[in-house]
Amino acid sequence: MHPQRSDEPIYWLLFGAGGMVVGIVLPSVLVVLLVAGMFSPDLNSGMLSYSHVASMLGNWFTSLAIFGVIALTLWHALHRIFHSLHDFTIRVTKLHWFALYGAAAALTFIALAFQFLIYVKLF
Amino acid sequence: MSNVKSAYRKPYVPKVEATWWTKNPFYFRYMLREGTSFLALFVAVELIFGLFMFALCDLNSPEPTVESAAPYLWWVQSFVGNPIVILLNLVSLGACLFHAVTWFALMPKAVRVFMNKNSTELVPESLTVIGLYICLLGATVVILGAAFITMP
């Protein structure tokens, strides 16, 4: 009988990579979002204007980078929320695990689907 | 998490108040740090919402117009430009930087890098931490630089 292997390393790896993304990449992403929010861009001018984002999502490299940032942030955040349920004095069950990691998986695939759709439609 | 069910064992589960972390500044800081994960989740969901609104646009129209790009323009002007969302983004920025400082500080304890393969001596902690701050600075310069240079 082989002992059953834990699947925890996979989630821990995603959590660790996500921690790096949240610490290193997300601050500048938020600065971009704040600039976009304050200067109200339109079709063809300004930060995150329609044509600016169209060129970002139409480029496979930038689009993949954005997907990586979103996916790793999701896995990092939901892993940590799962593990802090205990600190919120919630008795953790397998259902909590499925709900939170399921949400991370679902949102990852939703982001991938949208980006793929936009990429294929644009070019 | 233990799923052991036994008739012979009746574990004692101490009662913990939900406000336990407000009574000690160390615990408060710990919960504040854990709380940053909710703001990271908010940012990810906000970006996915933006992708959704962009996908709703008429991407096949030969020349983008205010009508064809209406869903995305609503997201970027009215949602991201909403004062409450701007405030949340600002708080998230603070949370990300707080996360970065604490994450970088614990990294030398989590990742043990040896000086060379013939010794058990570890690289100095400051090297790892300073390296990560340089990464943060480099990534910020690259991303903001790329965003502003490509800005139409």
Side-chain angles (χ1 to χ4, degrees), chain A residues 84-91, chain B residues 16-20:
Chain A
S84 45
L85 284 179
H86 175 77
D87 300 325
F88 297 120
T89 60
I90 294 168
R91 287 292 293 276
Chain B
V16 180
E17 289 170 64
T19 55
W20 62 271

Side-chain angles (χ1 to χ4, degrees), chain A residues 16 19 23-25 27-28 30 33-34 37 40-41 43-44 46-50 52-53 73 76-77 80 87-88 114 121, chain B residues 20 30-31 33 36-37 40 52 59-60 64-65 69 72 76-77 80-81 86 90 93 99 103 136 139 143 147 150-152:
Chain A
I24 290 172
V25 180
S28 32
L30 278 162
L33 281 172
L34 282 168
S40 196
L43 270 181
N44 291 313
M47 179 63 78
L48 294 189
S49 59
Y50 178 83
H52 193 199
V53 174
T73 303
H76 172 81
R80 266 175 64 186
D87 300 325
F88 297 120
F114 287 152
K121 260 188 155 180
Chain B
W20 62 271
Y30 164 77
M31 280 305 254
R33 180 179 149 62
T36 61
S37 57
F52 172 64
L59 300 172
N60 292 321
T65 60
Y72 177 74
V76 77
Q77 290 170 351
V80 178
I86 290 182
L90 209 60
L93 179 61
H99 164 86
W103 184 263
L136 172 59
I143 294 168
T150 59
M151 187 173 88

